Amino acid sequence: MKIVMIEDHQVVAEGISSMLNEVAYVENVVQMPNGMSAMEYLNKHADVDIILLDINLPDCNGIELCLTLKQQFPNIGIIALSTYNQPGIINKMLDNGADSYLLKNATSKDLLKTIENVASGKKFLTDEIKKILKETPLNTFKTPVFTKREKEVLILIAEGLTNQEIADKLFISQLTVISHRKSLLEKTESKNTAQLIKYCFEFGLLQ
């Protein structure tokens, strides 16, 4: 079995690789630090069985990358490996084609069991993930719909601009910026700007 792990934290990648390389049925574990290098590798190697995919990557959003990977390489099993335990993120990854979702604090036993099931063509979730999803209805996450102007304001907020700076850049009034900011908070159910940016980054809404 050949595994590609897309993970930018070298310590995490090396730790998991070291463990997997001790398993008899694992032939090779290839470490990729970002989405671009992973895509380049996968386009040249058609014999990969499993992808271990982190969500937080330096060059792209893992949630969106998951959809791209599944569309281009439908026969490769994808296991999301992340620290995020929010039901909305888990469901979004599964909706985008992930065959399983594991938290990074999962045991080696759970990791191997997941790999074995996914490699055999099955969708598989550990009891821990099932419990998280059971606590929240499956379809609770819906991508918020932003207007063109709201998207422009969102990007500038993420860049750290003040309301006045955003107003000057977009040639609108500061009150209009405040109104758009309030709308963004409401649509994402965020209490403050920090939550807004975190939410939009996690769900790929800043791309």
Side-chain angles (χ1 to χ4, degrees):
M1 181 188 301
K2 292 187 177 180
I3 298 173
V4 167
M5 179 164 47
I6 310 174
E7 167 66 64
D8 65 318
H9 290 92
Q10 189 173 357
V11 173
V12 175
E14 290 182 353
I16 295 175
S17 293
S18 178
M19 186 272 290
L20 290 177
N21 282 321
E22 296 296 319
V23 179
Y25 57 77
V26 176
E27 180 182 347
N28 189 26
V29 179
V30 179
Q31 299 176 31
M32 291 294 163
N34 54 57
M36 182 178 294
S37 61
M39 290 296 293
E40 290 176 354
Y41 180 87
L42 291 166
N43 280 317
K44 296 177 182 177
H45 300 82
D47 57 348
V48 174
D49 301 291
I50 295 289
I51 295 172
L52 295 178
L53 174 61
D54 189 14
I55 290 179
N56 260 341
L57 295 170
D59 64 339
C60 65
N61 182 282
I63 296 174
E64 300 305 318
L65 178 60
C66 182
L67 181 61
T68 300
L69 289 170
K70 206 61 181 181
Q71 289 173 341
Q72 295 192 26
F73 312 102
N75 295 323
I76 301 179
I78 299 177
I79 300 171
L81 197 58
S82 176
T83 57
Y84 295 120
N85 63 357
Q86 293 94 330
I89 295 178
I90 297 173
N91 280 319
K92 188 65 175 175
M93 283 296 284
L94 296 176
D95 288 344
N96 278 11
D99 299 287
S100 184
Y101 192 105
L102 269 180
L103 298 179
K104 287 187 177 179
N105 62 359
T107 64
S108 57
K109 180 180 178 180
D110 277 341
L111 175 58
L112 293 176
K113 186 176 181 180
T114 300
I115 289 174
E116 290 166 6
N117 276 274
V118 172
S120 66
K122 300 175 184 176
K123 299 278 187 179
F124 180 79
L125 296 176
T126 62
D127 290 338
E128 181 180 16
I129 298 300
K130 287 179 181 177
K131 182 180 178 182
I132 292 172
L133 294 180
K134 188 177 181 180
E135 294 172 352
T136 306
L138 288 178
N139 295 320
T140 54
F141 176 78
K142 292 184 179 180
T143 304
V145 179
F146 300 144
T147 65
K148 181 180 178 181
R149 182 63 84 186
E150 285 173 346
K151 288 180 181 178
E152 292 174 339
V153 171
L154 174 62
I155 290 171
L156 295 176
I157 290 174
E159 291 178 358
L161 273 65
T162 65
N163 288 339
Q164 187 59 61
E165 289 171 335
I166 294 172
D168 293 341
K169 195 172 186 69
L170 297 179
F171 302 103
I172 56 179
S173 71
Q174 190 171 349
L175 287 177
T176 300
V177 174
I178 293 172
S179 176
H180 287 314
R181 185 188 287 266
K182 181 180 178 182
S183 177
L184 289 166
L185 291 172
E186 291 175 350
K187 287 183 177 182
T188 59
E189 298 181 359
S190 301
K191 295 180 180 179
N192 51 48
T193 301
Q195 282 190 5
L196 169 66
I197 300 305
K198 183 173 184 291
Y199 180 99
C200 292
F201 174 76
E202 289 174 356
F203 290 104
L205 301 177
L206 282 170
Q207 299 177 357

